[in-house]
Amino acid sequence: MLELQHPDIIGDMATRLENVITAYHDTPGAVIPVLRECQNIVGYLPVELIDYISVGLNLSKSEVLGVATFYSLFSLTPKGRHTIRACLGTACYVKGGKEVMNRIKQTYKVEEGGTTEDRRFSLEAVRCLGACGLAPVMVVDQDTHGKVSPDRIVEILEQYE
Amino acid sequence: MANPRLQLMLCTGTGCLASGSKEFQTALEEEIKKQGLEGEVKIIETGCNGFCAVGPVMLVQPEGIFYQKLTPKDAPLLVEEHFLKGRPVEKLLYVEPASKETIPTMNEIPFFSNQKFWVMRNKGAIDPESIDEYIARDGYFGMAKALNEMTAEEIIQEVKDSGLRGRGGAGFPTGLKWQFASKADSDIKYVLCNADEGDPGAFMDRSILEADPHAVIEGMIIAAKAINASKGYIYCRTEYPMAIQRLTLAIKNAREYGLLGEDILQSGFNFDIEIYQGAGAFVCGEETALMRSIEGKRGMPRPRPPFPANKGLWERPTVLNNVETLANISQIILNGASWFSSIGTESSKGTKVFALSGDVNNIGLVEVPMGITLKQMIFEIGGGIPKKRKFKAVQLGGPSGGCVPEQHLDTPVDYEAIARVGAIMGSGGVIVMDENTCMVDMARFFMDFIQDESCGKCPPCREGTKRLLEILNKICEGNGEPGDIEALEELSLRIKESALCGLGQTAPNPVLSTLRYFKDEYIAHVYEKRCPAKRCVALLKFKVDPEKCHKCGLCYQACPVGAISWEKKQPAVIDREKCIQCLSCYEACRFDAID
């Protein structure tokens, strides 16, 4: 097995990653669940980890990287401590989701898909979250905030350190 | 514990949770304990009730009293007045906005009384995490009948006779699909459930999975028996954690009860289900792409034929049905094809679940009999347009669909009738748009979505949608030129003809349908540099017309940056230096006085 060394892979992470690979080693088509679980452990997927997974699952690196870059769930760059997912689905868009998004970008100096310099927030624009009754909707980590307005945004986000 | 006197069906669907139903529940539990009513009243957490607009909602059974917009501080009053003294709390009841009449019971509220609950018959009525409650409502009876009393041919015939068509959008007859797969020769076959509900503005499947997960599992087992499959997958969006959690529990419980797994109900039939979580790709709702994704590859569609009924997942015969389609199955088996086909139109039978959203009063989930008109759905059930604004159009079928303008609102809910006016039934997203919506901007929005979600395999979709978006951006930014509208039309038709999969073939629909009904808006943007709905920032002047201004000060209050100066009896003035072009003043003005 490949030795896994990376500054963001610390503590028992390496052992847990190895366990994931072992568990799925013989399952056909396991790339997506493996990437998901590995990302849950490390927070994102550094290229060294992609190498590790491809060796572990006996796949080519391009195959694994191809899958990792195809699906929006996977990230090859580090994430902030909190992830803001602002919905830009149709209902939210109609109800002012774009204005909410712009206010977040301005206030925290962060771009869509980017992370603030202090790694406090990562900002993502997402497609419909299926809570259109509450449009515009924003999800911070696991918390859903409905009927947000540009003015309420900062108040809500300040609760997340 | 003896049977409780009152059952409190508290909605813990995603909508109500976000409106604070958990906080309310904690307060209510405490209050019930305080008053010593623990054995007498029982809180039951239900799936989505459907009336998300007034959440959190709670239904008190057996009385049928419906409470809305509950907050923790309502708990003491509710317990004391209603649960102790038997007097419903009037101020928490539903008030019909038009007549100002208070309506205490759920069945009399127009939002509910105009619906027909078949697929959603258990929503809000049972605890979705209790298999016993599902069984008590005839759950798994349809499956028992299918496994023990019917042959595969009989099941297929029944579903064919019912006239059930795929609820995911395309409307292919379900029974026929099963027949193709049942005739395919293979020792291994699969039944898949498509729960990759990606259309923006659609949340039907999510609510069904959260409110009644067993109904979907039961439908899959019956499908499996019909085609003789032994393995099933539910492909669910990763964005739906609660649906995944409830499905996981439902599958576990069904296995424990011998309703899933080996030798189901001693019938000798084996079938098991696994949940496969998507990873965020809209195109995976397309059947061949979904199967690729389960195989662990990039979710890219492939040309058909061969159709999945012959060569699907891992090259084996596969049936893929949508969540809502599957949730219909057990009722059809149990009550018979003629029961199901007794409502609906000539070619569209049964009911359809829609997610009403956008500029409509009663945002939420509705189930209507096929054949009612769009007007009835939007105005009688949906309660019309808020803020006294005028209806402009309704978008059906998400980014693959089209808009229906006012003159076609009498179109019935029917696959063919909706297609004739240039939209599609789609999976059920209904986005209502009022007069303040710019249709060019709307088309631009959908194109932005599609070009982002295009998988990139075929050039017509990958390149074509990008070019469409470029032209639309140009028009919205005030740089439209003569020839742009013609280019949009030409390009749209070519993409439609040549794209590989359903996603690409339907991608230009929002452009084509807005061009069909709202060409005047395109012309205003391109030739007059004017946005009639006042949404396209680049085409706005941000100037108050003193003639039209009613001097009310609403814009002054709405401005977040203090760029508007106003004094009583004076028209407002906007300072362009400070203005951040957020459109709050346009939203606030009731007199169309800002240019």
Side-chain angles (χ1 to χ4, degrees), chain B residues 366-443:
Chain B
V366 304
E367 181 172 359
V368 298
M370 293 277 191
I372 79 158
T373 65
L374 294 174
K375 191 181 232 158
Q376 283 175 299
M377 180 157 75
I378 295 165
F379 288 89
E380 287 171 25
I381 298 173
I385 317 297
K387 299 184 192 164
K388 295 184 182 161
R389 285 183 185 155
K390 279 212 278 297
F391 171 86
K392 185 170 201 171
V394 55
Q395 178 79 19
L396 298 178
S400 312
C403 63
V404 180
E406 192 163 15
Q407 65 263 36
H408 290 308
L409 268 184
D410 285 323
T411 306
V413 172
D414 170 282
Y415 288 95
E416 280 70 31
I418 289 177
R420 272 197 296 277
V421 294
I424 59 166
M425 177 84 86
S427 55
V430 176
I431 297 147
V432 182
M433 293 173 272
D434 70 17
E435 53 188 331
N436 286 12
T437 311
C438 170
M439 299 313 284
V440 185
D441 184 52
M442 215 55 220

Side-chain angles (χ1 to χ4, degrees), chain A residues 27-58:
Chain A
T27 317
V31 189
I32 295 172
V34 167
L35 287 172
R36 174 195 311 278
E37 289 185 28
C38 290
Q39 178 165 293
N40 285 346
I41 294 170
V42 183
Y44 71 108
L45 298 165
V47 176
E48 291 81 352
L49 182 54
I50 301 271
D51 277 343
Y52 180 78
I53 292 169
S54 62
V55 172
L57 293 180
N58 201 18

Side-chain angles (χ1 to χ4, degrees), chain A residues 36 66 71-72 88 93 129 133, chain B residues 206 277-278 280 297-298 444:
Chain A
R36 174 195 311 278
Y71 295 96
S72 63
L88 289 183
Y93 190 81
L129 290 160
Chain B
R206 164 186 214 151
Q277 282 190 53
K297 303 196 179 82
R298 291 181 142 215
R444 193 190 64 81

Side-chain angles (χ1 to χ4, degrees), chain B residues 197-482:
Chain B
E197 184 177 50
D199 281 6
F203 50 96
M204 301 78 50
D205 295 348
R206 164 186 214 151
S207 300
I208 294 169
L209 292 170
E210 287 178 4
D212 203 9
H214 286 284
V216 179
I217 294 171
E218 189 180 355
M220 286 180 77
I221 302 170
I222 297 170
K225 158 93 184 192
I227 70 160
N228 195 24
S230 55
K231 174 91 192 175
Y233 289 95
I234 300 175
Y235 189 95
C236 189
R237 290 183 86 194
T238 187
E239 288 89 341
Y240 288 179
M242 187 189 285
I244 291 170
Q245 179 201 324
R246 289 195 169 151
L247 272 174
T248 309
L249 182 70
I251 290 172
K252 177 172 164 275
N253 288 340
R255 280 195 197 123
E256 285 164 2
Y257 275 53
L259 301 169
L260 195 61
E262 306 241 312
D263 194 16
I264 298 171
L265 295 176
Q266 286 96 45
S267 64
F269 183 70
N270 307 327
F271 181 68
D272 209 350
I273 297 175
E274 212 175 288
I275 300 170
Y276 197 92
Q277 282 190 53
F282 178 70
V283 68
C284 288
E286 198 277 342
E287 59 177 3
T288 57
L290 186 149
M291 292 168 200
R292 285 286 161 90
S293 182
I294 297 181
E295 291 168 5
K297 303 196 179 82
R298 291 181 142 215
M300 287 179 166
R302 61 156 177 80
R304 296 172 303 181
F307 286 96
N310 294 310
K311 273 189 173 183
L313 182 63
W314 308 111
E315 303 286 303
R316 303 289 187 168
T318 304
V319 154
L320 173 75
N321 286 131
N322 157 273
V323 169
E324 189 185 336
T325 313
L326 289 165
N328 268 303
I329 297 296
S330 74
Q331 293 295 302
I332 291 174
I333 297 297
L334 202 56
N335 301 325
S338 53
W339 165 82
F340 186 82
S341 59
S342 67
I343 63 167
T345 62
E346 191 55 40
S347 65
S348 309
K349 305 292 187 193
T351 61
K352 176 78 191 93
V353 182
F354 288 101
L356 268 183
S357 67
D359 301 317
V360 60
N361 274 314
N362 299 339
I363 288 171
L365 205 65
V366 304
E367 181 172 359
V368 298
M370 293 277 191
I372 79 158
T373 65
L374 294 174
K375 191 181 232 158
Q376 283 175 299
M377 180 157 75
I378 295 165
F379 288 89
E380 287 171 25
I381 298 173
I385 317 297
K387 299 184 192 164
K388 295 184 182 161
R389 285 183 185 155
K390 279 212 278 297
F391 171 86
K392 185 170 201 171
V394 55
Q395 178 79 19
L396 298 178
S400 312
C403 63
V404 180
E406 192 163 15
Q407 65 263 36
H408 290 308
L409 268 184
D410 285 323
T411 306
V413 172
D414 170 282
Y415 288 95
E416 280 70 31
I418 289 177
R420 272 197 296 277
V421 294
I424 59 166
M425 177 84 86
S427 55
V430 176
I431 297 147
V432 182
M433 293 173 272
D434 70 17
E435 53 188 331
N436 286 12
T437 311
C438 170
M439 299 313 284
V440 185
D441 184 52
M442 215 55 220
R444 193 190 64 81
F445 167 79
F446 282 120
M447 206 42 65
D448 186 36
F449 177 87
I450 290 290
Q451 68 89 26
D452 198 35
E453 293 292 347
S454 172
C455 79
K457 183 168 176 172
C458 78
C461 177
R462 183 184 66 226
E463 302 301 326
T465 58
K466 252 204 166 59
R467 298 290 91 79
L468 281 178
L469 178 65
E470 274 171 13
I471 301 173
L472 289 166
N473 274 334
K474 205 172 102 184
I475 295 177
C476 288
E477 281 156 13
N479 300 321
E481 297 168 283

Side-chain angles (χ1 to χ4, degrees), chain B residues 131-151:
Chain B
I131 188 170
D132 294 328
E133 293 192 16
Y134 179 70
I135 293 171
R137 304 255 303 173
D138 294 348
Y140 290 108
F141 284 34
M143 177 194 86
K145 185 175 168 190
L147 292 190
N148 292 323
E149 298 167 26
M150 296 170 83
T151 64

Side-chain angles (χ1 to χ4, degrees), chain B residues 99-160:
Chain B
S99 62
K100 304 274 177 248
E101 187 194 344
T102 303
I103 305 176
T105 58
M106 184 166 108
N107 295 338
E108 288 170 71
I109 298 174
F111 177 78
F112 295 102
S113 61
N114 287 318
Q115 296 190 48
K116 189 158 197 86
F117 297 119
W118 281 7
V119 170
M120 302 201 294
R121 66 192 187 94
N122 285 333
K123 66 140 201 191
I126 62 168
D127 176 354
E129 300 194 356
S130 160
I131 188 170
D132 294 328
E133 293 192 16
Y134 179 70
I135 293 171
R137 304 255 303 173
D138 294 348
Y140 290 108
F141 284 34
M143 177 194 86
K145 185 175 168 190
L147 292 190
N148 292 323
E149 298 167 26
M150 296 170 83
T151 64
E153 290 74 31
E154 283 166 348
I155 297 171
I156 291 171
Q157 197 56 46
E158 197 76 46
V159 176
K160 271 171 82 176

